Amino acid sequence: MHAWSVVEPGPVEAGSLRLVDKPVPVPGDDELLVRVRTCGVCRTDLHVAEGDLPVHRPGVTPGHEIVGEVAGVGAAVRGFEAGERVGAAWLRRTDGGCAYCARGSENLCRASRYTGWDADGGYAQYTTVPAAYAYRLPGDVDDVTLAPLLCAGIIGYRALRRAALPAGGRLGLYGFGGSAHLCAQVALAEGATVHVLTRGAAARKLALGLGAASARDAYAMPPEPLDSAILFAPVGDLVPVALRALDRGGTLAIAGIHLSDVPALRYESELFYEKQLRSVTSNTREDGREFLALAAGHGVHATTHTYPLSRADEALRDLKAGRFDGAAVLVNDLF
């Protein structure tokens, strides 16, 4: 099959991602073989390709917002049939028996493994997913619309819960890409006032179109103090900026898997008055199920820009350069 491979982590402009031939994967006993139909383009894919995240699998195929159809099942799999549409997301596997898994925090499992980092992902004609980690997808939503929900949406949802937004609260979103524009729709549907702080004019326009109360530059102050904020941009310099924008008792959640260095914080102006700073680590399968149900109920939808799978490298370059708002989705043309 044709698949994209991170041949040598480095700048995507220099060709770190290359289209190669790989064998069609053989599913394990508890896995599904999935023919990829669409795969969302996530900033984490860029971090894998450029080496911001350490290499876990040499030559890995990125991609973890996968919509496809079951092409084969492992010997121990029950309940899935060939041709059934399924989704695969970032969290690929956990040990299921550690203290974290036992308390419902499988996202913190030390043995957790990830699609498109520890195992080949969806920038390919075929991939595999453990059946217990595959998502059943609503039948009335198309492949392109669904793909970004499977990571950008799920992570945005977990970040929103980590931000401890009170009912009817004031939420600031720093950065407004694939994840943030889905998170904003959930927050708005639940009655929040949303303020967007981001560098791109197109992203600010999208935010206002979705119902944000304001949209300003990332380093500007919002028009009112925030009860909660979420940092989606992987820019450590924005941490003190967001903390200063919080009202007393406010919470800042950092949603990214990678963040540039955070400058020194001033206690008096940035942390005092019981402000909280939280990180977000991956997601649980329950997060995914909850979010997909909420998305269907509230009509949450991604603003998408499609690329042929054969041009995945171009999509990552455009993501890095901020050339589109919303989310990019790869459509499989490698037949």
Side-chain angles (χ1 to χ4, degrees):
M1 68 172 184
H2 298 303
W4 287 93
S5 172
V6 180
V7 291
E8 185 174 350
V12 289
E13 301 88 348
S16 59
L17 197 67
R18 188 178 304 163
L19 191 60
V20 302
D21 289 328
K22 288 187 175 185
V24 174
V26 177
D29 285 350
D30 66 344
E31 294 180 343
L32 306 174
L33 175 66
V34 176
R35 187 180 73 82
V36 176
R37 286 158 51 160
T38 61
C39 185
V41 178
C42 181
R43 187 164 292 276
T44 302
D45 302 334
L46 182 63
H47 294 320
V48 169
E50 296 204 319
D52 297 323
L53 296 178
V55 173
H56 280 192
R57 179 184 177 90
V60 72
T61 294
H64 57 274
E65 297 178 339
I66 303 162
V67 176
E69 62 185 50
V70 177
V73 298
V77 173
R78 301 291 182 270
F80 287 92
E81 298 180 356
E84 184 176 353
R85 189 170 68 157
V86 295
W90 176 236
L91 184 66
R92 176 182 177 84
R93 190 184 292 277
T94 62
D95 64 22
C98 69
Y100 302 109
C101 290
R103 75 185 194 200
S105 301
E106 64 180 5
N107 59 307
L108 301 180
C109 175
R110 296 183 187 276
S112 57
R113 297 292 180 265
Y114 300 94
T115 310
W117 192 20
D118 295 293
D120 286 342
Y123 287 23
Q125 290 176 272
Y126 292 89
T127 190
T128 61
V129 58
Y133 292 79
Y135 289 93
R136 299 186 185 276
L137 302 175
D140 57 347
V141 185
D142 66 86
D143 297 343
V144 170
T145 301
L146 279 170
L149 303 186
L150 289 164
C151 177
I154 296 171
I155 292 297
Y157 173 72
R158 184 169 185 86
L160 181 60
R161 296 300 178 243
R162 291 283 292 163
L165 180 66
R170 302 157 295 176
L171 174 68
L173 301 178
Y174 287 80
F176 203 70
S179 193
H181 90 292
L182 295 169
C183 174
Q185 292 175 60
V186 175
L188 288 164
E190 294 180 340
T193 299
V194 175
H195 298 287
V196 170
L197 298 306
T198 191
R199 64 180 182 176
R204 293 196 291 270
K205 181 178 179 181
L206 174 60
L208 293 173
L210 289 173
S214 72
R216 300 182 175 185
D217 182 77
Y219 288 88
M221 288 294 288
E224 60 181 336
L226 305 172
D227 297 302
S228 302
I230 305 172
L231 176 58
F232 287 102
V235 182
D237 284 349
L238 287 173
V239 171
V241 174
L243 286 170
R244 287 195 294 271
L246 290 177
D247 203 351
R248 298 181 180 204
T251 300
L252 170 63
I254 300 176
I257 192 173
H258 170 78
L259 187 72
S260 61
D261 288 345
V262 179
L265 299 177
R266 298 186 62 212
Y267 182 69
E268 289 283 339
S269 58
E270 292 155 7
L271 285 173
F272 196 48
Y273 296 117
E274 298 192 353
K275 296 179 181 181
Q276 299 185 80
L277 178 60
R278 291 178 160 184
S279 66
V280 179
T281 299
S282 184
N283 63 275
T284 67
R285 284 170 286 176
E286 186 60 25
D287 291 330
R289 290 187 286 265
E290 287 179 4
F291 170 71
L292 290 173
L294 275 174
H298 291 312
V300 174
H301 64 281
T303 296
T304 55
H305 305 269
T306 58
Y307 293 74
L309 182 54
S310 59
R311 288 165 45 199
D313 55 342
E314 179 184 342
L316 278 184
R317 290 195 298 269
D318 287 352
L319 172 66
K320 183 178 181 179
R323 295 192 182 101
F324 55 78
D325 56 3
V329 178
L330 306 175
V331 179
N332 191 355
D333 63 334
L334 301 177
F335 299 107

